[in-house]
Amino acid sequence: MLRSPHLQSNPSLFAFLPLFYTVWSDAVLTPSEVSTIEGLIDNQHWLSDDERNFLHSQINPLQPPSVEDLMEWKEEIKKAADQTDGKSLVDIGFQLAHMHGAVSAELLKERKALGNIEATLGFISHEAAYNFQSGKRDSVTQQLTTHQTFDVEAMTKILDGKNTEIIRKVKTVLDDPEFRYIDPGNLPLYRAKVLQWTHLLADQGFGIIAYPKEYGGQNDMDSYFAIMETLSYHDLSLVVKFGVQFGLWGMSVYFLGTEKHHKKYLKDIGTLQLPGCFAMTEIHHGSNVKGVETTATYNHPTKTITVHTPHKNARKEFIGNAALHGQTATVFAKLIVEGKDYGVCAVIVPLRDKKGNTLSGITIEDCGRKMGLNGVDNGKIEFTQVSVPVENLLDKYMQITEDGKFASTIASDNRRFFTMLGTLVGGRIGIPRAGLSASKSGLAIAITYADQRKQFGPEGAPEVPILNYRTHQRRLMPYLANVYALHFSLQYLTTRFLNRKENEMQEIEALAAGLKAFATWNATATLQECRECCGGKGYMSENRIDALKNDTDIFTTFEGDNTVLMQLVAKSRLTEFKQEFAHMNLLGILNYVTDQAKTSITELNPIIIRNTEDAHLLDPEFHRDAFRYRERNILTSAAKRLKRHIDDGMDSFDAFNVSQHHLVQVGFAYIERIVLEKFIEQVNNTADKNCQAILKKLCALFALNQLDKNKGWYLEQGYMEGVKTKAIRKMLNQLCWEVRQDAVPLVRAFAIPDSCLAAPIAGVN
Amino acid sequence: MLRSPHLQSNPSLFAFLPLFYTVWSDAVLTPSEVSTIEGLIDNQHWLSDDERNFLHSQINPLQPPSVEDLMEWKEEIKKAADQTDGKSLVDIGFQLAHMHGAVSAELLKERKALGNIEATLGFISHEAAYNFQSGKRDSVTQQLTTHQTFDVEAMTKILDGKNTEIIRKVKTVLDDPEFRYIDPGNLPLYRAKVLQWTHLLADQGFGIIAYPKEYGGQNDMDSYFAIMETLSYHDLSLVVKFGVQFGLWGMSVYFLGTEKHHKKYLKDIGTLQLPGCFAMTEIHHGSNVKGVETTATYNHPTKTITVHTPHKNARKEFIGNAALHGQTATVFAKLIVEGKDYGVCAVIVPLRDKKGNTLSGITIEDCGRKMGLNGVDNGKIEFTQVSVPVENLLDKYMQITEDGKFASTIASDNRRFFTMLGTLVGGRIGIPRAGLSASKSGLAIAITYADQRKQFGPEGAPEVPILNYRTHQRRLMPYLANVYALHFSLQYLTTRFLNRKENEMQEIEALAAGLKAFATWNATATLQECRECCGGKGYMSENRIDALKNDTDIFTTFEGDNTVLMQLVAKSRLTEFKQEFAHMNLLGILNYVTDQAKTSITELNPIIIRNTEDAHLLDPEFHRDAFRYRERNILTSAAKRLKRHIDDGMDSFDAFNVSQHHLVQVGFAYIERIVLEKFIEQVNNTADKNCQAILKKLCALFALNQLDKNKGWYLEQGYMEGVKTKAIRKMLNQLCWEVRQDAVPLVRAFAIPDSCLAAPIAGVN
């Protein structure tokens, strides 16, 4: 085209060149594009027919320009583009025409006739021009970068709180080259390594720390949890091995046993001289522990207890430490005394001698490879008439008297069972805290990587860090807010547990069950998102997300299946209502419902349900009100629904089944409200102003993300109108954009040791 | 209590025994419960003061009954319970009183005074009574069981369609003992095994089947996809190894090369004589393939091309078959001719000699262990000035002329690039179909297990299969509907691809990208749910869910990151609007918006937005309308939003970034509509009435599940009111309940070979 006589005689025709280049270099030149351009050409009355025909010939799909033509055109156009600040194809075209000698006065007329080419063709204005103008672009997306607004060490102090010292100590130990990760493929080597690591930790006094001083411990349960949480930055098999030994096995002896057991076992357990197991789950009874079928039959003449597995499906299953290292186990079994079944008891049963040989009557099968946690040797245990002295009965809550009778201060089997289980609630604190650390590791890796990793970019400008993309922010920032939120609520749970009083146990158990479910589901979702956000790099084992995900995946199952736990939480919340409804006759219930409606009317103020002001959307009061409204409303409606079904004659088991999905929501609404409240408290109690400011933002992000997730419900209730839920979504995206700038410092505040993080994509090997 | 003189003198007092037993055996006896019962006792005017005091003493928390007392009470109450059909504590109590000699006439009076104890205490009526009445319960939840309504083989035929024969053949081969799974822990052994398996498949002619007949193939691409899908019931590493060799490596030669390449390579590729790689992704360029930095420089004097890696981050990464077995690779690189960069080309580069020694200039690093697919040897490849003859250029779309010039019939680099990529779209069909099979395996395992596994149950009745629980149904049944839905839409995509015409490519590419994203995300979610639904059993490798999940996890990344793909889909959909807006002036756009509003008004009919009738909720017309409305509305609003931002002067890159989340939804809405429509078509075209009936149910389940997921959006738009979204949720639960009965037959219809499924919890080893 460039050398055509038409251009020589009328250099104004150069004005079309950027347009032609653009349509030809575009991926597709559609028939409708062709006809649009033809129409445009036909409208240029300043052109001769001949010139119009010439221009038509330049967009004939059967006569495309050659590769060289296009290259030459581009170079020519670039020269013009460099000499104009105009960003439209017409601007550049006229500059080009001008450079080739077109007369300015005429050009001015023609410019009007050409109008806005981009708009006519439906191009995005300026976009096409960037093809020719390199280095001139300054999009906001490109410029966004890490901009730290707070002191990282100050934030770490807030997170670590009074556990700072023990956390530092654990990190120092983990930093030792002995703790370098090994390939998890070879089961025997991996399991041996994890055992060795556990010994090293025991040698540091970490295992015994929670036990009473008289047995070598420090009576420091708080530090025990902090150790678990910090170890969880390292290999999760190690954490579970540690937890099985010092938590499950040790605590069962500590909490279910009495002084004679403490004296005999605790020191050896705490120093890992006596590796043991916690043998509760059976093949046919997992969630329903009350149904275990293993029997522990008392024989008065010999003062022994016979532990027996009545059939293959009553074998203990998934028992950590059982396949190789456990020498002893706390076995949960039905206690039979004088032929009567007194419900579940716990009894200590030796499994192996010091050399590791399985004892007579004990048959152990290795569970083999698992999705994760392959450094832990899980096994199935079968007992064939195994006899142990009666002293092995952990007898805090039930005893066999000298004359061979069963005795307990808790007469009800049911109540005794739940009291025993209640003492073991600590496991439901350790697991979510371990999952929290794994989530932090995943986010530290994914966020550090996304801040560095560049991919795609605007035409004519460098590629952009993927963390600058809105979808990437929306995928990661809410999870970052969640781990901060959960950090504080798990601290709160721990404190409640450490200071527990008898009459608070029901509440604390519900809290632990619910937070365990919420936090471990969140860990699974977080790590899945981190994996995907790191693309292929996230799939490589060297970057550790696979191990974090696979090792913690079972957290949603163990210490109680999450779905079952959320129903427990709901049932616990409903007991409140059980009483409330109990005292009411029909009139009372009607009044109650009317009261509820009144509250609703106040909150369902037409101004509030449509309020989309920024200050309101960011107001913690609004968040708290909305979360509380949801909690109360869902709980009430679940209670009413159950009552209605039962009043209608539905079997109560069916009524609960029909309402199961609703009940799980009751659990969620309760837990989410608690998590929000504890986060708001933390924000209010934070003295450091910069830390407070970013925590406040994270808290709002947590709240708005939940509100957005539950917007269907809020809209159904009429608590918000569409205009408000849309505004929430917009604000949520805005918060993600803002938090992104502090995201790297926020994950650095977790202060995860490099040797633990150990992911090349996070800059640590 | 039983032997108290009060009972001897007034046997009517026995009426209280069931109540006392119940409150004592309950887990907690709260102060308010005590006071309620005290009030109840005080209201019994037929009692003497002395008797009242006696009864008060029986609920004193400081004087609980003994274990023996409770046991004795229970046995006593049971006797009475067996003799009455009454299901309330009062009924049983009066039967007991009667048995102990209380006079019937008096009892009648007293009964009224006691009223409904359960209600007073807020117990659930009958629940407490079941403690004493075993075998009398008949809840609906217990009775639910598998009830097959269609012929499984007929359904399998519908699914397999015209591929029945080749599917049967693949299954027969996989059934050979040679294909028994091996432990994936040992990388060298596992990789060698997968290579051996791939040879066995090649020996059957499966690898070459899609290639032209003149090179030993059968020109049967349809069967190739069916083979991939069927193999995906087996080890996924095998599928990927198979796909890398015969799909990626082979198809790149087939589609990007010309006859000379076909002659030289296709037969050896198809028989696995020449194992090769597809070397596209680089460390710094994954999603953004256009940015690859490897260079292929043409040297005219020697008629060679020099392939070179300019820096470490331009190394090829994650390349399957590279670490060990690949002898040759199709390498994607920037083609430089006469110093000019002509964009991305593909060139064949030998990597190893027949003995497996790496050739000069080639440096390969093993990617090592991955989250999954450890039977595939992924590697990084670095080229140091590697020279190959110019004939190695795959020259279908670009050539080097005899005189050393670049030539192409497609002048635009951009268009040439996308045309080349477009030919490789087959990968985006194979992957989702492989993910679909993995999802089917996961569901077959989880559903078969849940149908057998029993846990918990009503008081006084056997435990219940966990698939009878509503939450379990809600977790699994929608995914079962999804795999049926995706089966048919992936069939549709395949057919479109096989019959593709040039002018349909843009649509087919968008369809493939979107379905790939939708189906692989669905696979990840399905397998995660299956893992959790199988509890600890799901975590054991023997049950294979871990491998299915981990092997397919990368499917959301490879062949294009899903989030990026969904944006591509959206952009493709927007090109429609680009033209539509182009021809409009302000008036035109206003008219357009008004048109949209008119449509909305028709659909937002106040009767329809509140219609909760079953027939309406189950009507495919309603589903289709709702899906289409969403698709159109989201697309329009995205277009308007982009236009508004750009008109406001926002940089276009920023405008797209701000709208990213919205654009992803555009992609989803489009794909979901397609999936629904294809499912409805399938239902209508199914001749077998029983199969049609259950498919119709699954189709409604798919539709309602999506509507429920998107209910926030529909409520925001005013397309539905809360009363309708609630009715949808209820109907969804009901469909889950109904489909549960056919769930086992529905997974059996996948006809997954036992030797492939191989999960003990699914009854196959």
Side-chain angles (χ1 to χ4, degrees), chain B residues 420-485:
Chain B
M420 284 171 64
L421 279 200
T423 63
L424 304 173
V425 73
R428 292 198 179 144
I429 299 172
I431 289 302
R433 288 185 62 174
L436 181 69
S437 293
S439 307
K440 288 175 181 170
S441 296
L443 287 168
I445 294 165
I447 287 173
T448 310
Y449 179 58
D451 184 57
Q452 301 297 325
R453 169 76 172 177
K454 290 175 181 165
Q455 205 74 176
F456 296 111
E459 196 65 56
E463 290 185 289
V464 165
I466 57 176
L467 197 52
N468 288 8
Y469 291 110
R470 295 277 189 165
T471 44
H472 216 77
Q473 292 168 6
R474 252 312 266 287
R475 292 169 84 176
L476 292 174
M477 295 304 104
Y479 287 117
L480 180 59
N482 286 0
V483 297
Y484 269 88

Side-chain angles (χ1 to χ4, degrees), chain B residues 524-544:
Chain B
T524 299
T526 303
L527 292 165
Q528 182 65 38
E529 202 69 70
C530 290
R531 204 302 287 153
E532 294 181 30
C533 279
C534 294
K537 287 288 191 190
Y539 199 64
M540 300 297 118
S541 298
E542 64 174 11
N543 289 317
R544 287 196 62 246

Side-chain angles (χ1 to χ4, degrees), chain B residues 215-279:
Chain B
Y215 311 115
Q218 299 185 41
N219 210 12
D220 185 355
M221 189 74 85
D222 195 17
S223 287
Y224 174 78
F225 286 122
I227 291 168
M228 280 280 286
E229 187 172 293
T230 311
L231 287 178
S232 302
Y233 292 135
H234 191 258
D235 185 299
L236 275 300
S237 286
L238 172 58
V239 179
V240 170
K241 189 88 171 176
F242 184 92
V244 164
Q245 172 68 20
F246 308 114
L248 294 177
W249 156 230
M251 300 293 180
S252 65
V253 172
Y254 184 21
F255 287 122
L256 302 179
T258 49
E259 202 188 350
K260 63 176 177 287
H261 304 110
H262 299 168
K263 268 191 183 154
K264 184 166 179 189
Y265 296 107
L266 280 185
K267 191 172 178 187
D268 285 352
I269 295 175
T271 53
L272 195 49
Q273 294 307 302
L274 185 63
C277 311
F278 180 83

Side-chain angles (χ1 to χ4, degrees), chain B residues 6-170:
Chain B
H6 293 94
L7 288 175
Q8 309 300 324
S9 63
N10 184 359
S12 289
L13 298 187
F14 272 103
F16 288 90
L17 201 65
L19 167 64
F20 289 169
Y21 176 84
T22 301
V23 296
W24 281 114
S25 69
D26 190 15
V28 189
L29 182 61
T30 63
S32 86
E33 278 179 319
V34 172
S35 83
T36 305
I37 299 169
E38 284 177 347
L40 183 80
I41 293 168
D42 291 342
N43 276 333
Q44 306 304 313
H45 302 297
W46 52 280
L47 298 175
S48 69
D49 285 353
D50 191 34
E51 285 170 338
R52 279 195 209 107
N53 288 338
F54 164 71
L55 291 174
H56 275 283
S57 74
Q58 297 299 309
I59 50 159
N60 180 352
L62 300 177
Q63 292 181 327
S66 73
V67 180
E68 282 72 25
D69 285 342
L70 276 186
M71 284 202 159
E72 207 178 21
W73 293 6
K74 185 168 186 178
E75 275 166 34
E76 197 62 27
I77 299 166
K78 270 186 156 177
K79 286 181 209 156
D82 284 344
Q83 294 187 25
T84 176
D85 286 334
K87 286 194 187 302
S88 79
L89 292 182
V90 180
D91 287 336
I92 297 168
F94 278 86
Q95 178 65 29
L96 188 62
H98 178 73
M99 284 164 61
H100 282 269
V103 182
S104 301
E106 280 182 33
L107 282 176
L108 270 175
K109 277 190 296 176
E110 294 151 14
R111 179 172 235 147
K112 203 174 171 189
L114 269 168
N116 184 348
I117 292 178
E118 284 93 341
T120 313
L121 274 164
F123 291 160
I124 292 163
S125 62
H126 305 179
E127 187 64 34
Y130 286 124
N131 260 312
F132 316 112
Q133 297 171 309
S134 55
K136 289 204 178 178
R137 191 138 188 191
D138 57 349
S139 71
V140 176
T141 305
Q142 282 168 270
Q143 290 158 10
L144 190 66
T145 176
T146 288
H147 175 72
Q148 182 173 328
T149 64
F150 64 95
D151 182 61
V152 167
E153 281 179 28
M155 186 65 88
T156 305
K157 264 192 190 162
I158 292 170
L159 292 171
D160 291 351
K162 59 189 189 313
N163 300 126
T164 299
E165 202 36 53
I166 187 75
I167 291 174
R168 196 198 50 74
K169 191 173 168 195
V170 175

